[in-house]
Every structure is written in C-alpha cells, then in structure tokens.
Amino acid sequence: MTSELAAPSPIPPSSGIGRASAILASGTIVSRVLGFISAAVLANTLGTIGAAANTFTIANQLPNNIYAIIAGGLLSAILVPQIVRASQHDDGGERFINRVVTLGVVVFLVIAVIATLLGPLVHLYAQQQTGGSSKGLSARDFQLATAFAYWCLPQVFFYALYSLLGEVLNARKVFGPFTWAPVANNLIAIAGLLAFNLLYSSVQHSSSSAWTPAMVALIGGSATLGVLAQSVFLVLFWRRAGLHFRPEFRWRGVGLGRVGRAAFWTFLMILITQLAGIVQSKVATLAGSHNASNAVLRFAWLIFMLPHGIITISIATPYFTRMSGHAQRGDFDSLRRDIGASLRTIGMLLFFACVALIVVANPLSAVFAARSSADHAMAAVLVAYLIGLLPFSIVFVLQRAFYALEDTRTPFLFQTFQSVLLVSGILLSAMLPSSSIAFGIAISTTVADFALVIVAALLLRRRMHGLGAAPVARSYLVFLIALVPAAAAGVGLDFALGAFSAGFALSGILQAIVSIAAIGVAMAVVYFGVLALLRSSELIELTAPVVRRLRPGR
C-alpha cells in the first residue's frame, strides 16, 4: 500500500469530529455498560450452559437476524449518503426523509407481523436430537424456543424503527440520541430479569420442562418492551434535527429508486452473512446441553462487541458522515486522511482493549458463569474471538469508506469471501469433540476476519488509487511497543490474584469485578504512560482538549 497519498494529519478541532465522537462515546459507554450488566444478570438467571439459556439466546437473536436481512444494510450503509445528497434539495431533504420514514414504517410493520406468525421457523437455527443422541435440542426444548420466539419476534419492527430514525438523526449530525437510546432498553431488560428472579427464584430454570407460559412471557416480553422503548426514545429528538415529520405516501420522484439500487448488493451481503449465522447456530447446538453452545457464544460476542461499540462505532460514525461529503465532492485526498485518522485513533484504543480483555478473560467469564467448568469454557471462546477484534473493527471502517463512495457491490464480494471461509471453518468445528465446538466456531470467525481485512484493504486501495497505510502501520508499531510492558503487568497481576488457579479473582462475582478493575487500571497506566513517553501523536490529539482545559489561565 502506498503512503505518499495520505500523510498523517490531525483533525482540526473545528471539524467537530472530536466533539461528535465524545458525545457518541459517552452514550455508548453508559448503554454498553448497562448492556453488559443486563447480560451478566441474564447469564446468572438462565445460566450460560443448558436448554433455557440456549433456547432464549436463539429466539432473542431471531429478530436481529431478520431485521439484518431485510433492512440492516439499507439503513446503516445506504441511508446516510443518500440523506447527505438529499440535503442539497431546496427543502433540505425533509420531503425525502418523510417519504423514506413512512415507507419504512409500513414495510417493517408488515414484515414484523409476518415474522411473528412464522415463529416456529426458529427450528432453522438449531439441530434436533435424533436416534437417542444428546447432540442438539430435544422436542421439548424446541417448544420452549418457539414460545420465546413468539414474544421476541415483534422486536423486528422496533429494531428497524430505531435504526431508521437513528440513521436519519446521524445524517443530520444529531449523534447523541442514537447511542443513549439503548440505555432505556437495558434498564427495562434488567428490571424484567430482577422481577423474574424475585418471582421464580425457586424454579430450576435450566430444564425446559420447568418453564410456564407466565415465565416465558416475563422474560420474552420484557426483552421486547425494552426494544420498543429504545425506538420511541428517538422520536423525542426529531425536532432537534430540524425535521417536522408528516406521513408521506407518495413514494415516487424523490430518488427512492437510487436507494433501492444501492441497497441491492448490501441486501445480498447481509443475506449471505445471515445464512452463515444459521450454519453457526445449528452447529453450535451439536454441543448439547452440557457444553458451551449458543449462549456462551452469544455472551462472549457481547463482551467482544463492547470495545467495538464504545470505540469503533463512536469514532467511525461521525467520520462516516464527513467521508460521505468528501466522496460526493470527489475529494479523495480528504477521504484518505479521514480513513487514516480514524484507523489510527481506533487502533490506539483497541490494541489496549483487546489485550486487556484477553488478560482478564478468566475473571470476566466468572462474572457470567457460576460453575468453574462453564467459566473456563467461556474464557476460551472469548479469547478466540478477541484475537480478531482489531481486524473486525478495521473492516468496519473500510466498509464505510466503500459506502461513502456509494459502492455496495465490492463489500458484498469480500463479505461473501469471508462467509465462505467462516462456514468452512464452522463445518470443520462440527467434527470436534462436543466440548470444543464453540471454541472452534470462535477461532473460525477470527481467521475469517483476518483474511477479510487483507482483501478489503487491497480492494479499497485499488478503488482509491492508494490508501496511505504507512502512517497507520507506523502508529500501530508504536502501540505494540507500549503493549508489551502493559501485558506483562496484567499477567503478573493475574497470577497474583489467582486468575489461573481458582484463587481470589475466581471466588465470586464481586471478587472477579474487583480483579478486573485492578488489572485494567494497572495495564492502562502502563500502556498510556509508555505512549506518553513515546510522544504518540494520537494520544496527544486525544488528550489535547483536556490539557487545554486544565492549563492555567484558560
């Protein structure tokens, strides 16, 4: 990759990128921390291994999967560039937005109703036990999964509404509400779980035969109520974006055809990804009810997504809006600078987050899993995922660069390549012992992500006639140097706190949290201290606003 086309360039304060990222990060941190707490409460309510944990995980993931297939690509990849383009209209794009929102509400409502009626299709995501084998879900497990699905599938409409309204607000540079809205979702989910524990603490939740309709309604209903609150929250900020919504059912003449053409390849990309997800879910159920399976994979993935959501999405989202403007003007130099600046800032924080989470994987898993065998299984899966955290987030940024260029065909091609690799790895994982299937799936995901980032970078380099990767590579080398002493300090504390020997760090949830905090703080002090000694430009830029505020006379 050539380097002469994009020298490192700090983003000027007037750009608003730093402020927008800070707003996004603040909301994301609160919502993700609450999401982490909600997941931990769920894990300690239903367990991480067993029929109840796996069936609810499959059912509650269904609306996300269906939403992703029908709308995820359109809303996240296509809508922002089109709204930026429509803002040049004499009405500031308001008519275009009203028509898109009206169309979205009608279509998503119809799809949600149909999806809910097809609740029994949850069977597509699990393998049924046959011939007396313990691999897969039993007939009673499938009944429980279907009951959960009926309560969870209406979330399709509310997820779509949340994303639709959120992307409109992001395109209008009102970034905060989109990241703060999940706070309402998580608070309601936690309240529902606490109520469940209060009412049914004496019930053996791991057995599907113990579940009553009232129990299913409380768990599934509170999960859906949370997503509803998350979407309604965004309506409160519509006027702040300078918009006055009026239902508009005349859908011709404002460029919706362009949106449809642009969304075609993204729809195919999401469809391929979801087909790979079906294979993963079915193979994971082969682990049975006594080994790490869908629930462990899901909880590990939630932890994996914590730094991605707080760091990558908070930084990349405002950059994406600005990159779309550069692409509209054909300003490739500015586009390359923004790609490089976002990758360097994201890399500085993600290098640390990745290694820190790997170091604390054992106590972190102990927060979710009550049994020693369960927390060790989850820690192994978590580490396997975390190795691929940086390439996963780099691909996120590179995809947004393609979307800013209104090129959705190329991301489809490289995502298809990744899905083929992933499915191949997952099918190989099915041949492993039942206790190792989940770990094999996580490793397959990481290998596919490393391959994907190479292919995506090469394709974007060709598309833009250069990426300017040398400054990014130099910064990443500095981050790696700073990580060495930080990792050593973290591992030393791991041993001292008994994270590898069933000591203090694994003796209870509170002890695990204290250990995680102690190790994390120590590693952060060493890592960022070394970066300060090395005069990292990314660290200087990140901390400059704080330094200016603390400087005497300011």
Side-chain angles (χ1 to χ4, degrees):
M1 300 181 187
T2 57
S3 61
E4 66 278 3
L5 295 175
S9 169
I11 302 299
S14 60
S15 68
I17 290 289
R19 181 175 181 273
S21 293
I23 293 172
L24 283 165
S26 62
T28 302
I29 288 171
V30 175
S31 61
R32 294 280 177 167
V33 168
L34 283 173
F36 178 87
I37 295 172
S38 175
V41 174
L42 176 62
N44 284 278
T45 300
L46 303 185
T48 57
I49 292 177
N54 290 327
T55 54
F56 179 71
T57 296
I58 294 170
N60 201 40
Q61 187 60 26
L62 265 180
N64 288 276
N65 296 341
I66 295 171
Y67 156 70
I69 291 173
I70 62 166
L74 171 63
L75 298 181
S76 64
I78 306 303
L79 205 54
V80 170
Q82 297 302 327
I83 292 175
V84 170
R85 179 185 295 274
S87 65
Q88 300 171 8
H89 298 169
D90 53 6
D91 66 345
E94 186 169 22
R95 187 172 61 162
F96 174 84
I97 291 172
N98 285 342
R99 292 187 179 187
V100 167
V101 171
T102 304
L103 176 62
V105 168
V106 172
V107 170
F108 298 145
L109 183 59
V110 171
I111 290 173
V113 171
I114 294 173
T116 302
L117 295 176
L118 296 176
L121 289 182
V122 68
H123 289 209
L124 290 174
Y125 286 82
Q127 187 70 37
Q128 189 163 6
Q129 293 177 1
T130 57
S133 171
S134 62
K135 290 189 172 184
L137 301 183
S138 68
R140 192 176 291 274
D141 294 340
F142 271 114
Q143 292 174 1
L144 180 58
T146 303
F148 277 132
Y150 280 128
W151 279 100
C152 294
L153 280 167
Q155 295 173 22
V156 171
F157 174 72
F158 301 118
Y159 274 127
L161 185 62
Y162 164 71
S163 293
L164 178 62
L165 300 181
E167 294 297 347
V168 169
L169 292 176
N170 285 343
R172 303 283 290 198
K173 299 184 179 180
V174 179
F175 296 108
F178 188 63
T179 57
W180 280 95
V183 170
N185 182 357
N186 290 317
L187 288 175
I188 291 174
I190 292 170
L193 290 168
L194 293 177
F196 183 89
N197 281 317
L198 182 64
L199 294 172
Y200 303 108
S201 59
S202 61
V203 178
Q204 178 55 257
H205 308 143
S206 61
S207 172
S208 56
S209 60
W211 283 75
T212 65
M215 294 166 67
V216 172
L218 182 52
I219 291 292
S222 59
T224 297
L225 182 62
V227 183
L228 183 155
Q230 175 176 292
S231 61
V232 171
F233 180 83
L234 295 184
V235 177
L236 304 176
F237 297 88
W238 203 249
R239 289 185 180 274
R240 181 180 294 184
L243 298 170
H244 301 81
F245 177 70
R246 297 180 182 85
E248 177 60 75
F249 294 94
R250 291 174 295 176
W251 298 327
R252 296 175 61 89
V254 291
L256 293 179
R258 183 187 186 94
V259 174
R261 288 190 297 273
F264 173 73
W265 291 107
T266 304
F267 170 79
L268 290 182
M269 179 185 73
I270 299 296
L271 182 61
I272 291 292
T273 302
Q274 292 305 313
L275 290 175
I278 292 175
V279 175
Q280 172 178 315
S281 183
K282 290 182 76 74
V283 169
T285 58
L286 292 174
S289 298
H290 303 291
N291 296 294
S293 183
N294 284 288
V296 166
L297 285 165
R298 179 62 179 161
F299 288 130
W301 186 255
L302 286 173
I303 297 172
F304 171 91
M305 289 297 291
L306 190 65
H308 175 77
I310 292 174
I311 297 168
T312 307
I313 294 178
S314 298
I315 293 173
T317 298
Y319 269 108
F320 178 39
T321 301
R322 198 169 74 171
M323 285 192 295
S324 297
H326 295 326
Q328 294 288 337
R329 297 188 298 273
D331 186 355
F332 276 23
D333 288 339
S334 295
L335 183 56
R336 275 187 286 267
R337 280 194 293 271
D338 276 359
I339 293 170
S342 62
L343 287 177
R344 293 196 306 277
T345 304
I346 289 169
M348 177 183 67
L349 299 173
L350 276 192
F351 267 108
F352 169 75
C354 172
V355 174
L357 287 174
I358 289 174
V359 170
V360 301
N362 276 342
L364 191 56
S365 298
V367 174
F368 286 80
R371 295 187 294 113
S372 178
S373 60
D375 61 43
H376 286 311
M378 184 170 168
V381 171
L382 178 58
V383 170
Y385 272 140
L386 285 170
I387 295 170
L389 176 59
L390 185 61
F392 179 84
S393 292
I394 291 174
V395 168
F396 181 87
V397 175
L398 299 183
Q399 280 181 330
R400 267 76 200 150
F402 279 109
Y403 296 154
L405 293 165
E406 298 187 35
D407 178 0
T408 54
R409 179 176 177 272
T410 304
F412 161 73
L413 294 175
F414 63 66
Q415 193 68 55
T416 301
F417 163 77
Q418 189 257 9
S419 295
V420 170
L421 282 182
L422 177 58
V423 168
S424 299
I426 291 172
L427 293 176
L428 288 174
S429 299
M431 303 177 187
L432 296 172
S434 297
S435 60
S436 301
I437 288 176
F439 177 77
I441 290 173
I443 281 291
S444 299
T445 303
T446 292
V447 170
D449 284 340
F450 271 100
L452 179 58
V453 75
I454 295 171
V455 173
L458 291 174
L459 290 174
L460 185 60
R461 176 179 180 270
R462 186 176 68 175
R463 176 73 170 78
M464 295 178 57
H465 308 293
L467 262 184
V472 176
R474 285 195 295 268
S475 293
Y476 282 12
L477 179 60
V478 173
F479 305 152
L480 283 171
I481 292 171
L483 269 176
V484 174
V491 172
L493 278 174
D494 249 351
F495 277 105
L497 293 170
F500 299 115
S501 58
F504 173 82
L506 304 183
S507 59
I509 293 177
L510 180 59
Q511 293 90 326
I513 293 173
V514 170
S515 300
I516 292 167
I519 295 170
V521 169
M523 291 183 67
V525 169
V526 175
Y527 177 71
F528 291 106
V530 173
L531 285 183
L533 291 175
L534 295 174
R535 301 190 60 79
S536 165
S537 60
E538 290 76 22
L539 181 63
I540 293 171
E541 182 182 343
L542 187 69
T543 57
V546 177
V547 172
R548 282 196 296 269
R549 286 181 178 275
L550 296 177
R551 189 177 298 167
R554 292 297 181 94

